[in-house]
Amino acid sequence: MTSEVARDSGQLVVLVAGPPEMARMYWLPGRHAAGSDRIAVAYYGQHQHFERTGETELVEGQLVPVFRFSCSTKIAE
């Protein structure tokens, strides 16, 4: 996915902690992260759950919400 596509169809958030292979910055589809306190990202057969910290970081000239890892759960089949 290119940056242009992600910018038009999602929102950039900053993920801290969680699996070390996950990018620190992450594009979420749609706009569900803008007002959410919790998000889940599918990653290698599990959902990685993150909670909003209330902090923001300046990324590419815009303030981006920061989410911290809380737990992981298996994806139901």
Side-chain angles (χ1 to χ4, degrees):
M1 177 184 292
T2 65
S3 296
E4 294 77 31
V5 172
R7 290 175 199 276
D8 291 340
S9 62
Q11 178 188 5
L12 181 66
V13 296
V14 174
L15 304 178
V16 294
E21 302 85 20
M22 290 186 76
R24 182 165 167 76
M25 291 181 283
Y26 200 85
W27 282 103
L28 296 176
R31 295 218 171 257
H32 68 279
S36 299
D37 289 333
R38 296 184 180 125
I39 58 174
V41 179
Y43 182 75
Y44 283 101
Q46 295 189 356
H47 279 125
Q48 305 300 320
H49 298 268
F50 296 83
E51 295 183 0
R52 179 173 254 169
T53 65
E55 301 170 4
T56 57
E57 284 191 22
L58 188 61
V59 177
E60 298 179 5
Q62 63 180 352
L63 289 176
V64 175
V66 176
F67 289 80
R68 180 171 300 280
F69 177 77
S70 61
C71 68
S72 63
T73 57
K74 286 194 171 190
I75 296 176
E77 293 183 24

